[in-house]
Amino acid sequence: MNRRDFVRLGWATVIATGAGKLRPVLPRSLAPRQVPGPVPHPMATPMELKATGRAADFTLRIAPTMVELAPQVVISTIGYSDKVPGPLLRMREGQLVTVEVANDTDVPEYVHWHGLFVPSEVDGAEEEGTPPVAPHGRRRYQFVAKPAGSRWYHSHTAAMMDLHRGSYTGQFGFLMIDSGNDPGLYDQEVFLALHEWEPYLTTMDQDEMAADPGDPMPEKPANPDQRPNGLEVGAPLYSINDKMLGAGDPIRVKPGQRVLMHLLNASASQIHRLALSGHKFQVVALDGNPVPSPQLVSVIEIAPGERVDAMVEMNQPGVWILGELRDVARSSGMGIVVEYADQQQRATWLPPPNARWDYTVFGTAAPHPAPDQTVDMVLEKVPGGPNGINHWLVNGKEYPHEREFVLRQGRRYRLVFHNRSDDSHPLHMHRHLFELVELNGKPTAGVKKDTVIVPAFGRAAVDLVADQPGLTLFHCHIQQHMDFGFMALLRYA
Ligand SMILES: [Cu+2]
């Protein structure tokens, strides 16, 4: 029996034993050994489920790697197991999973399991008390896979002024938790991760989308801060997965197919807006959680940390660009070609109709239970000036916040985010989901997320049920903002 047969047999045993216990049992003599061999394409197959109880289900090796973004454009970064994105980790809901991480770099690392309900010691955040993977050391992360949906994993180290660490690197990958209830009403599933490369510091801010003057901006102060802005992070190169627009294989489709797209923004710094020329997206899940009202949209906005699952009906034969709305981002690589069978023309970009991204259209009007307590968070920028870095305040102070936010188990908290800055921020809560209650005065219900964009001078309210005891990190998912103060630690009483 060769290795491939074993893996197949392993999975067959898993399937035969049903969804609950995922422990394929094979005679010990048949247990596969770790042998170096050809590496499958990262998106082609999930990593192999090992057949023994003692072996890890997945292994990740953190190490320097080269990425050929396009012919003659090769960058060096840190990645997982020589793949960017890292291997797809696919598991069943409720499965006990062990991930063995080897760190072949000279610095401590943390792997964060984004969107999972895992204990603080496993979550992959130093602030919560997770131990690091020591330089040239190994560590096992073990957790029960929940909840079902599109999750991801990524480095959670602070980068500060080092733009070659943390989420500036290629340390990100998809983690899919299957519920077993997926009706599978699609012909293809594709995984698309957005990232930028070779970041640099600038005050030019050319990458930032201008705030929409039509926004209500309920938190705009009467006298906005006039101090000059500090250095922010820009980038000259972009990719979807490991390729710049036009450099990789297209997404190959046939007329009439339904394609389920799993979009992930793994950028350290940028919110992106995407469109697929000639097509619309049926948004079915946000941050991996099914939405109450799936809607057809022309444009998807996705911030660092967020995921959007969208179904696309392939009903417009041709060769099209799925890409960023800003020309500068698309021409720097942020896009991928969608090619119908038997079509050879050049890929076409058609700017989408003017459309605004609004989470509330995916919600319902159902009333929320009254919260037990409302917690206000005022979010402010301290501009750094031309040669400095901006610093960020949560309720008047930079991280650490040790005792400010204490939750009681079982209570429902309404967190109200007051963004008093001129940037949009994707705010992420570890180890929990929250439900969107209000965005800039618009009420909604049923939209469950772990990361929410609060627009410039905007306000959002979310409900969080305190049902995951343990230290819980809250932060802006823009790496520089998080590193320079934009974090808070929640604890349970
Ligand atoms: Cu931010």
Side-chain angles (χ1 to χ4, degrees):
M1 185 185 299
N2 66 27
R3 184 176 168 77
R4 188 172 295 266
D5 288 330
F6 261 70
V7 171
R8 205 176 286 140
L9 182 61
W11 278 108
T13 315
V14 167
I15 292 159
T17 54
K21 289 264 184 281
L22 284 161
R23 291 267 128 178
V25 181
L26 281 181
R28 192 160 293 261
S29 61
L30 290 181
R33 294 214 176 83
Q34 287 242 288
V35 286
V39 181
H41 186 275
M43 293 295 131
T45 48
M47 285 184 78
E48 298 153 2
L49 185 66
K50 299 294 188 332
T52 64
R54 295 176 66 187
D57 301 304
F58 304 102
T59 59
L60 296 174
R61 191 175 66 93
I62 303 168
T65 188
M66 313 278 270
V67 183
E68 189 189 83
L69 296 173
Q72 309 301 319
V73 183
V74 180
I75 57 104
S76 142
T77 186
I78 309 292
Y80 292 121
S81 303
D82 280 326
K83 301 174 174 71
V84 173
L88 168 61
L89 306 186
R90 186 149 220 169
M91 51 197 73
R92 294 288 293 264
E93 189 174 30
Q95 181 185 349
L96 178 65
V97 171
T98 305
V99 186
E100 170 111 4
V101 179
N103 179 5
D104 287 352
T105 72
D106 299 329
V107 292
E109 269 297 345
Y110 296 85
V111 185
H112 169 50
W113 315 100
H114 186 128
L116 279 78
F117 299 155
V118 296
S120 310
E121 322 76 84
V122 182
D123 191 44
E126 180 182 21
E127 297 80 1
E128 295 174 351
T130 313
V133 191
H136 303 284
R138 306 174 84 84
R139 198 183 123 72
R140 282 188 168 205
Y141 291 87
Q142 191 171 61
F143 52 84
V144 175
K146 61 182 176 179
S150 298
R151 314 291 163 207
W152 68 298
Y153 62 101
H154 62 88
S155 167
H156 210 284
T157 53
M160 306 305 290
M161 298 303 287
D162 183 351
L163 305 187
H164 299 89
R165 289 203 69 190
S167 53
Y168 297 117
T169 72
Q171 291 174 82
F172 56 89
F174 288 93
L175 189 158
M176 298 300 293
I177 304 182
D178 296 321
S179 66
N181 302 321
D182 180 1
L185 300 173
Y186 47 85
D187 302 289
Q188 276 196 61
E189 196 180 18
V190 294
F191 294 87
L192 303 171
L194 318 181
H195 197 69
E196 77 282 9
W197 303 99
E198 305 295 292
Y200 57 89
L201 294 166
T202 176
T203 53
M204 297 288 288
D205 214 7
Q206 60 185 7
D207 297 315
E208 198 67 27
M209 293 177 304
D212 190 324
D215 274 346
M217 299 195 183
E219 297 291 336
K220 188 167 186 173
N223 301 303
D225 200 325
Q226 298 296 328
R227 288 175 288 180
N229 199 37
L231 293 165
E232 298 200 50
V233 178
L237 298 173
Y238 300 87
S239 66
I240 292 186
N241 298 334
D242 60 345
K243 290 288 184 260
M244 296 172 69
L245 173 59
D249 289 336
I251 300 171
R252 294 195 170 87
V253 302
K254 296 192 176 101
Q257 279 192 335
R258 286 162 61 84
V259 177
L260 177 57
M261 296 187 174
H262 300 292
L263 298 164
L264 159 67
N265 188 342
S267 164
S269 55
Q270 290 188 30
I271 298 173
H272 289 294
R273 288 185 196 170
L274 299 171
L276 171 54
S277 303
H279 297 76
K280 288 190 169 193
F281 304 97
Q282 169 93 348
V283 173
V284 294
L286 295 175
D287 292 352
N289 311 304
V291 294
S293 314
Q295 299 289 337
L296 274 177
V297 299
S298 302
V299 172
I300 286 174
E301 181 174 288
I302 184 166
E306 289 190 302
R307 289 85 66 213
V308 174
D309 293 338
M311 200 74 84
V312 181
E313 298 255 13
M314 294 299 166
N315 50 16
Q316 199 74 257
V319 183
W320 305 102
I321 291 174
L322 164 56
E324 236 278 7
L325 266 54
R326 292 170 301 153
D327 295 339
V328 63
R330 246 181 10 266
S331 59
S332 305
M334 183 57 77
I336 188 168
V337 173
V338 174
E339 184 182 291
Y340 281 71
D342 304 320
Q343 303 278 331
Q344 275 94 35
Q345 61 269 43
R346 267 180 79 90
T348 302
W349 170 255
L350 302 172
N354 212 348
R356 306 211 30 199
W357 178 251
D358 178 357
Y359 296 128
T360 67
V361 303
F362 307 109
T364 67
H368 288 269
D372 297 304
Q373 195 182 329
T374 296
V375 177
D376 288 287
M377 289 187 167
V378 175
L379 313 164
E380 294 169 290
K381 172 158 81 177
V382 182
N387 296 309
I389 304 287
N390 302 318
H391 285 248
W392 298 92
L393 310 178
V394 178
N395 288 356
K397 62 178 278 200
E398 289 184 47
Y399 185 84
H401 299 74
E402 289 291 329
R403 301 274 163 195
E404 285 86 346
F405 304 104
V406 180
L407 308 176
R408 287 186 180 278
Q409 192 170 350
R411 285 201 174 184
R412 172 180 284 265
Y413 292 88
R414 183 151 300 167
L415 309 178
V416 185
F417 304 129
H418 305 266
N419 180 3
R420 304 248 164 101
S421 76
D422 57 358
D423 308 280
S424 297
H425 300 282
L427 304 183
H428 173 47
M429 186 69 71
H430 281 230
R431 307 179 53 249
H432 296 74
L433 290 178
F434 49 60
E435 182 181 353
L436 193 58
V437 171
E438 190 195 300
L439 186 72
N440 278 348
K442 265 175 113 172
T444 190
V447 175
K448 295 191 176 172
K449 296 181 78 355
D450 55 56
T451 306
V452 63
I453 304 172
V454 186
F457 298 125
R459 180 162 61 221
V462 302
D463 274 11
L464 177 141
V465 175
D467 54 4
Q468 302 291 334
L471 294 174
T472 298
L473 197 61
F474 163 80
H475 61 89
C476 177
H477 218 283
I478 292 173
Q479 177 89 46
Q480 191 192 37
H481 298 180
M482 165 181 174
D483 289 345
F484 290 90
F486 207 147
M487 290 202 298
L489 198 60
L490 283 63
R491 63 177 68 237
Y492 280 71

